[in-house]
mmCIF file with all atom_site columns, all heavy atoms in Angstrom:
data_model
loop_
_atom_site.group_PDB
_atom_site.id
_atom_site.type_symbol
_atom_site.label_atom_id
_atom_site.label_alt_id
_atom_site.label_comp_id
_atom_site.label_asym_id
_atom_site.label_entity_id
_atom_site.label_seq_id
_atom_site.pdbx_PDB_ins_code
_atom_site.Cartn_x
_atom_site.Cartn_y
_atom_site.Cartn_z
_atom_site.occupancy
_atom_site.B_iso_or_equiv
_atom_site.pdbx_formal_charge
_atom_site.auth_seq_id
_atom_site.auth_comp_id
_atom_site.auth_asym_id
_atom_site.auth_atom_id
_atom_site.pdbx_PDB_model_num
ATOM 1   N N   . TRP A 1 68 ? 13.428 4.615  -13.628 1.00 81.00 ? 73  TRP A N   1
ATOM 2   C CA  . TRP A 1 68 ? 12.752 5.014  -14.797 1.00 81.00 ? 73  TRP A CA  1
ATOM 3   C C   . TRP A 1 68 ? 13.157 4.242  -16.055 1.00 81.00 ? 73  TRP A C   1
ATOM 4   O O   . TRP A 1 68 ? 12.368 4.102  -16.952 1.00 81.00 ? 73  TRP A O   1
ATOM 5   C CB  . TRP A 1 68 ? 12.929 6.545  -15.070 1.00 81.00 ? 73  TRP A CB  1
ATOM 6   C CG  . TRP A 1 68 ? 12.505 7.358  -13.960 1.00 81.00 ? 73  TRP A CG  1
ATOM 7   C CD1 . TRP A 1 68 ? 13.274 8.086  -12.996 1.00 81.00 ? 73  TRP A CD1 1
ATOM 8   C CD2 . TRP A 1 68 ? 11.122 7.625  -13.622 1.00 81.00 ? 73  TRP A CD2 1
ATOM 9   N NE1 . TRP A 1 68 ? 12.491 8.723  -12.182 1.00 81.00 ? 73  TRP A NE1 1
ATOM 10  C CE2 . TRP A 1 68 ? 11.162 8.423  -12.467 1.00 81.00 ? 73  TRP A CE2 1
ATOM 11  C CE3 . TRP A 1 68 ? 9.860  7.238  -14.188 1.00 81.00 ? 73  TRP A CE3 1
ATOM 12  C CZ2 . TRP A 1 68 ? 9.997  8.875  -11.844 1.00 81.00 ? 73  TRP A CZ2 1
ATOM 13  C CZ3 . TRP A 1 68 ? 8.783  7.699  -13.532 1.00 81.00 ? 73  TRP A CZ3 1
ATOM 14  C CH2 . TRP A 1 68 ? 8.816  8.488  -12.421 1.00 81.00 ? 73  TRP A CH2 1
ATOM 15  N N   . HIS A 1 69 ? 14.406 3.693  -16.016 1.00 88.00 ? 74  HIS A N   1
ATOM 16  C CA  . HIS A 1 69 ? 14.844 2.996  -17.200 1.00 88.00 ? 74  HIS A CA  1
ATOM 17  C C   . HIS A 1 69 ? 15.035 1.491  -16.865 1.00 88.00 ? 74  HIS A C   1
ATOM 18  O O   . HIS A 1 69 ? 15.594 0.787  -17.686 1.00 88.00 ? 74  HIS A O   1
ATOM 19  C CB  . HIS A 1 69 ? 16.176 3.580  -17.636 1.00 88.00 ? 74  HIS A CB  1
ATOM 20  C CG  . HIS A 1 69 ? 16.021 4.976  -18.220 1.00 88.00 ? 74  HIS A CG  1
ATOM 21  N ND1 . HIS A 1 69 ? 15.708 5.285  -19.496 1.00 88.00 ? 74  HIS A ND1 1
ATOM 22  C CD2 . HIS A 1 69 ? 16.021 6.224  -17.515 1.00 88.00 ? 74  HIS A CD2 1
ATOM 23  C CE1 . HIS A 1 69 ? 15.625 6.594  -19.689 1.00 88.00 ? 74  HIS A CE1 1
ATOM 24  N NE2 . HIS A 1 69 ? 15.781 7.158  -18.524 1.00 88.00 ? 74  HIS A NE2 1
ATOM 25  N N   . GLY A 1 70 ? 14.527 0.989  -15.709 1.00 86.00 ? 75  GLY A N   1
ATOM 26  C CA  . GLY A 1 70 ? 14.576 -0.359 -15.420 1.00 86.00 ? 75  GLY A CA  1
ATOM 27  C C   . GLY A 1 70 ? 15.894 -1.058 -15.336 1.00 86.00 ? 75  GLY A C   1
ATOM 28  O O   . GLY A 1 70 ? 16.083 -2.184 -15.832 1.00 86.00 ? 75  GLY A O   1
ATOM 29  N N   . TRP A 1 87 ? 2.586  2.005  -14.538 1.00 83.00 ? 92  TRP A N   1
ATOM 30  C CA  . TRP A 1 87 ? 4.020  2.216  -14.393 1.00 83.00 ? 92  TRP A CA  1
ATOM 31  C C   . TRP A 1 87 ? 4.832  1.097  -14.983 1.00 83.00 ? 92  TRP A C   1
ATOM 32  O O   . TRP A 1 87 ? 5.886  1.298  -15.653 1.00 83.00 ? 92  TRP A O   1
ATOM 33  C CB  . TRP A 1 87 ? 4.393  2.433  -12.949 1.00 83.00 ? 92  TRP A CB  1
ATOM 34  C CG  . TRP A 1 87 ? 3.890  3.731  -12.455 1.00 83.00 ? 92  TRP A CG  1
ATOM 35  C CD1 . TRP A 1 87 ? 2.953  3.984  -11.542 1.00 83.00 ? 92  TRP A CD1 1
ATOM 36  C CD2 . TRP A 1 87 ? 4.422  5.050  -12.878 1.00 83.00 ? 92  TRP A CD2 1
ATOM 37  N NE1 . TRP A 1 87 ? 2.804  5.358  -11.356 1.00 83.00 ? 92  TRP A NE1 1
ATOM 38  C CE2 . TRP A 1 87 ? 3.619  6.021  -12.244 1.00 83.00 ? 92  TRP A CE2 1
ATOM 39  C CE3 . TRP A 1 87 ? 5.376  5.443  -13.745 1.00 83.00 ? 92  TRP A CE3 1
ATOM 40  C CZ2 . TRP A 1 87 ? 3.852  7.310  -12.344 1.00 83.00 ? 92  TRP A CZ2 1
ATOM 41  C CZ3 . TRP A 1 87 ? 5.573  6.784  -13.974 1.00 83.00 ? 92  TRP A CZ3 1
ATOM 42  C CH2 . TRP A 1 87 ? 4.778  7.758  -13.201 1.00 83.00 ? 92  TRP A CH2 1
ATOM 43  N N   . LEU A 1 88 ? 4.461  -0.126 -14.844 1.00 89.00 ? 93  LEU A N   1
ATOM 44  C CA  . LEU A 1 88 ? 5.319  -1.232 -15.354 1.00 89.00 ? 93  LEU A CA  1
ATOM 45  C C   . LEU A 1 88 ? 5.376  -1.147 -16.874 1.00 89.00 ? 93  LEU A C   1
ATOM 46  O O   . LEU A 1 88 ? 6.438  -1.336 -17.451 1.00 89.00 ? 93  LEU A O   1
ATOM 47  C CB  . LEU A 1 88 ? 4.733  -2.635 -14.803 1.00 89.00 ? 93  LEU A CB  1
ATOM 48  C CG  . LEU A 1 88 ? 4.851  -2.765 -13.310 1.00 89.00 ? 93  LEU A CG  1
ATOM 49  C CD1 . LEU A 1 88 ? 4.338  -4.097 -12.832 1.00 89.00 ? 93  LEU A CD1 1
ATOM 50  C CD2 . LEU A 1 88 ? 6.294  -2.601 -12.900 1.00 89.00 ? 93  LEU A CD2 1
ATOM 51  N N   . PRO A 1 89 ? 4.234  -1.025 -17.593 1.00 92.00 ? 94  PRO A N   1
ATOM 52  C CA  . PRO A 1 89 ? 4.326  -0.924 -19.075 1.00 92.00 ? 94  PRO A CA  1
ATOM 53  C C   . PRO A 1 89 ? 5.214  0.297  -19.480 1.00 92.00 ? 94  PRO A C   1
ATOM 54  O O   . PRO A 1 89 ? 5.847  0.256  -20.506 1.00 92.00 ? 94  PRO A O   1
ATOM 55  C CB  . PRO A 1 89 ? 2.921  -0.860 -19.526 1.00 92.00 ? 94  PRO A CB  1
ATOM 56  C CG  . PRO A 1 89 ? 2.109  -1.495 -18.482 1.00 92.00 ? 94  PRO A CG  1
ATOM 57  C CD  . PRO A 1 89 ? 2.875  -1.150 -17.191 1.00 92.00 ? 94  PRO A CD  1
ATOM 58  N N   . LYS A 1 90 ? 5.007  1.378  -18.732 1.00 90.00 ? 95  LYS A N   1
ATOM 59  C CA  . LYS A 1 90 ? 5.774  2.618  -19.125 1.00 90.00 ? 95  LYS A CA  1
ATOM 60  C C   . LYS A 1 90 ? 7.306  2.391  -18.970 1.00 90.00 ? 95  LYS A C   1
ATOM 61  O O   . LYS A 1 90 ? 8.041  2.753  -19.860 1.00 90.00 ? 95  LYS A O   1
ATOM 62  C CB  . LYS A 1 90 ? 5.422  3.696  -18.071 1.00 90.00 ? 95  LYS A CB  1
ATOM 63  C CG  . LYS A 1 90 ? 6.170  5.056  -18.345 1.00 90.00 ? 95  LYS A CG  1
ATOM 64  C CD  . LYS A 1 90 ? 5.662  6.094  -17.537 1.00 90.00 ? 95  LYS A CD  1
ATOM 65  C CE  . LYS A 1 90 ? 6.407  7.434  -17.714 1.00 90.00 ? 95  LYS A CE  1
ATOM 66  N NZ  . LYS A 1 90 ? 6.391  7.920  -19.059 1.00 90.00 ? 95  LYS A NZ  1
ATOM 67  N N   . ILE A 1 91 ? 7.770  1.626  -17.948 1.00 89.00 ? 96  ILE A N   1
ATOM 68  C CA  . ILE A 1 91 ? 9.150  1.368  -17.803 1.00 89.00 ? 96  ILE A CA  1
ATOM 69  C C   . ILE A 1 91 ? 9.669  0.465  -18.928 1.00 89.00 ? 96  ILE A C   1
ATOM 70  O O   . ILE A 1 91 ? 10.712 0.667  -19.513 1.00 89.00 ? 96  ILE A O   1
ATOM 71  C CB  . ILE A 1 91 ? 9.448  0.754  -16.413 1.00 89.00 ? 96  ILE A CB  1
ATOM 72  C CG1 . ILE A 1 91 ? 9.222  1.829  -15.356 1.00 89.00 ? 96  ILE A CG1 1
ATOM 73  C CG2 . ILE A 1 91 ? 10.902 0.170  -16.249 1.00 89.00 ? 96  ILE A CG2 1
ATOM 74  C CD1 . ILE A 1 91 ? 9.199  1.226  -13.923 1.00 89.00 ? 96  ILE A CD1 1
ATOM 75  N N   . VAL A 1 92 ? 8.871  -0.545 -19.275 1.00 92.00 ? 97  VAL A N   1
ATOM 76  C CA  . VAL A 1 92 ? 9.150  -1.407 -20.424 1.00 92.00 ? 97  VAL A CA  1
ATOM 77  C C   . VAL A 1 92 ? 9.224  -0.585 -21.682 1.00 92.00 ? 97  VAL A C   1
ATOM 78  O O   . VAL A 1 92 ? 10.139 -0.865 -22.531 1.00 92.00 ? 97  VAL A O   1
ATOM 79  C CB  . VAL A 1 92 ? 8.100  -2.582 -20.522 1.00 92.00 ? 97  VAL A CB  1
ATOM 80  C CG1 . VAL A 1 92 ? 8.285  -3.322 -21.804 1.00 92.00 ? 97  VAL A CG1 1
ATOM 81  C CG2 . VAL A 1 92 ? 8.261  -3.497 -19.361 1.00 92.00 ? 97  VAL A CG2 1
ATOM 82  N N   . ARG A 1 93 ? 8.306  0.280  -21.903 1.00 95.00 ? 98  ARG A N   1
ATOM 83  C CA  . ARG A 1 93 ? 8.407  1.116  -23.162 1.00 95.00 ? 98  ARG A CA  1
ATOM 84  C C   . ARG A 1 93 ? 9.619  2.044  -23.126 1.00 95.00 ? 98  ARG A C   1
ATOM 85  O O   . ARG A 1 93 ? 10.273 2.270  -24.183 1.00 95.00 ? 98  ARG A O   1
ATOM 86  C CB  . ARG A 1 93 ? 7.101  2.086  -23.247 1.00 95.00 ? 98  ARG A CB  1
ATOM 87  C CG  . ARG A 1 93 ? 5.902  1.364  -23.624 1.00 95.00 ? 98  ARG A CG  1
ATOM 88  C CD  . ARG A 1 93 ? 4.762  2.266  -23.983 1.00 95.00 ? 98  ARG A CD  1
ATOM 89  N NE  . ARG A 1 93 ? 4.505  3.378  -23.032 1.00 95.00 ? 98  ARG A NE  1
ATOM 90  C CZ  . ARG A 1 93 ? 3.722  3.298  -22.015 1.00 95.00 ? 98  ARG A CZ  1
ATOM 91  N NH1 . ARG A 1 93 ? 2.974  2.170  -21.840 1.00 95.00 ? 98  ARG A NH1 1
ATOM 92  N NH2 . ARG A 1 93 ? 3.532  4.343  -21.167 1.00 95.00 ? 98  ARG A NH2 1
ATOM 93  N N   . ASN A 1 94 ? 10.021 2.546  -21.945 1.00 92.00 ? 99  ASN A N   1
ATOM 94  C CA  . ASN A 1 94 ? 11.265 3.305  -21.817 1.00 92.00 ? 99  ASN A CA  1
ATOM 95  C C   . ASN A 1 94 ? 12.489 2.509  -22.258 1.00 92.00 ? 99  ASN A C   1
ATOM 96  O O   . ASN A 1 94 ? 13.324 3.002  -22.976 1.00 92.00 ? 99  ASN A O   1
ATOM 97  C CB  . ASN A 1 94 ? 11.472 3.840  -20.393 1.00 92.00 ? 99  ASN A CB  1
ATOM 98  C CG  . ASN A 1 94 ? 10.519 4.955  -20.013 1.00 92.00 ? 99  ASN A CG  1
ATOM 99  O OD1 . ASN A 1 94 ? 9.806  5.595  -20.830 1.00 92.00 ? 99  ASN A OD1 1
ATOM 100 N ND2 . ASN A 1 94 ? 10.455 5.227  -18.697 1.00 92.00 ? 99  ASN A ND2 1
ATOM 101 N N   . GLN A 1 95 ? 12.502 1.293  -21.758 1.00 94.00 ? 100 GLN A N   1
ATOM 102 C CA  . GLN A 1 95 ? 13.613 0.395  -22.138 1.00 94.00 ? 100 GLN A CA  1
ATOM 103 C C   . GLN A 1 95 ? 13.656 0.102  -23.614 1.00 94.00 ? 100 GLN A C   1
ATOM 104 O O   . GLN A 1 95 ? 14.757 0.158  -24.247 1.00 94.00 ? 100 GLN A O   1
ATOM 105 C CB  . GLN A 1 95 ? 13.550 -0.891 -21.329 1.00 94.00 ? 100 GLN A CB  1
ATOM 106 C CG  . GLN A 1 95 ? 13.847 -0.763 -19.846 1.00 94.00 ? 100 GLN A CG  1
ATOM 107 C CD  . GLN A 1 95 ? 13.536 -2.042 -19.112 1.00 94.00 ? 100 GLN A CD  1
ATOM 108 O OE1 . GLN A 1 95 ? 12.499 -2.765 -19.371 1.00 94.00 ? 100 GLN A OE1 1
ATOM 109 N NE2 . GLN A 1 95 ? 14.403 -2.403 -18.199 1.00 94.00 ? 100 GLN A NE2 1
ATOM 110 N N   . ALA A 1 96 ? 12.557 -0.235 -24.263 1.00 96.00 ? 101 ALA A N   1
ATOM 111 C CA  . ALA A 1 96 ? 12.504 -0.382 -25.677 1.00 96.00 ? 101 ALA A CA  1
ATOM 112 C C   . ALA A 1 96 ? 12.870 0.803  -26.456 1.00 96.00 ? 101 ALA A C   1
ATOM 113 O O   . ALA A 1 96 ? 13.616 0.717  -27.471 1.00 96.00 ? 101 ALA A O   1
ATOM 114 C CB  . ALA A 1 96 ? 11.072 -0.918 -26.016 1.00 96.00 ? 101 ALA A CB  1
ATOM 115 N N   . ARG A 1 97 ? 12.423 1.917  -26.092 1.00 96.00 ? 102 ARG A N   1
ATOM 116 C CA  . ARG A 1 97 ? 12.823 3.210  -26.744 1.00 96.00 ? 102 ARG A CA  1
ATOM 117 C C   . ARG A 1 97 ? 14.222 3.433  -26.548 1.00 96.00 ? 102 ARG A C   1
ATOM 118 O O   . ARG A 1 97 ? 14.864 3.920  -27.582 1.00 96.00 ? 102 ARG A O   1
ATOM 119 C CB  . ARG A 1 97 ? 11.904 4.348  -26.149 1.00 96.00 ? 102 ARG A CB  1
ATOM 120 C CG  . ARG A 1 97 ? 12.076 5.621  -26.912 1.00 96.00 ? 102 ARG A CG  1
ATOM 121 C CD  . ARG A 1 97 ? 11.304 6.797  -26.354 1.00 96.00 ? 102 ARG A CD  1
ATOM 122 N NE  . ARG A 1 97 ? 11.637 7.029  -25.018 1.00 96.00 ? 102 ARG A NE  1
ATOM 123 C CZ  . ARG A 1 97 ? 10.847 6.919  -23.881 1.00 96.00 ? 102 ARG A CZ  1
ATOM 124 N NH1 . ARG A 1 97 ? 9.569  6.443  -24.122 1.00 96.00 ? 102 ARG A NH1 1
ATOM 125 N NH2 . ARG A 1 97 ? 11.270 7.185  -22.711 1.00 96.00 ? 102 ARG A NH2 1
ATOM 126 N N   . ASP A 1 98 ? 14.819 3.285  -25.463 1.00 95.00 ? 103 ASP A N   1
ATOM 127 C CA  . ASP A 1 98 ? 16.281 3.458  -25.218 1.00 95.00 ? 103 ASP A CA  1
ATOM 128 C C   . ASP A 1 98 ? 17.039 2.577  -26.229 1.00 95.00 ? 103 ASP A C   1
ATOM 129 O O   . ASP A 1 98 ? 17.983 3.098  -26.884 1.00 95.00 ? 103 ASP A O   1
ATOM 130 C CB  . ASP A 1 98 ? 16.618 3.134  -23.785 1.00 95.00 ? 103 ASP A CB  1
ATOM 131 C CG  . ASP A 1 98 ? 16.094 4.087  -22.773 1.00 95.00 ? 103 ASP A CG  1
ATOM 132 O OD1 . ASP A 1 98 ? 15.724 5.194  -23.156 1.00 95.00 ? 103 ASP A OD1 1
ATOM 133 O OD2 . ASP A 1 98 ? 16.147 3.751  -21.577 1.00 95.00 ? 103 ASP A OD2 1
#
Side-chain angles (χ1 to χ4, degrees):
W73 301 104
H74 294 270
W92 289 111
L93 296 179
K95 179 174 179 58
I96 292 168
V97 169
R98 285 192 313 270
N99 288 348
Q100 291 173 316
R102 187 180 61 244
D103 290 343

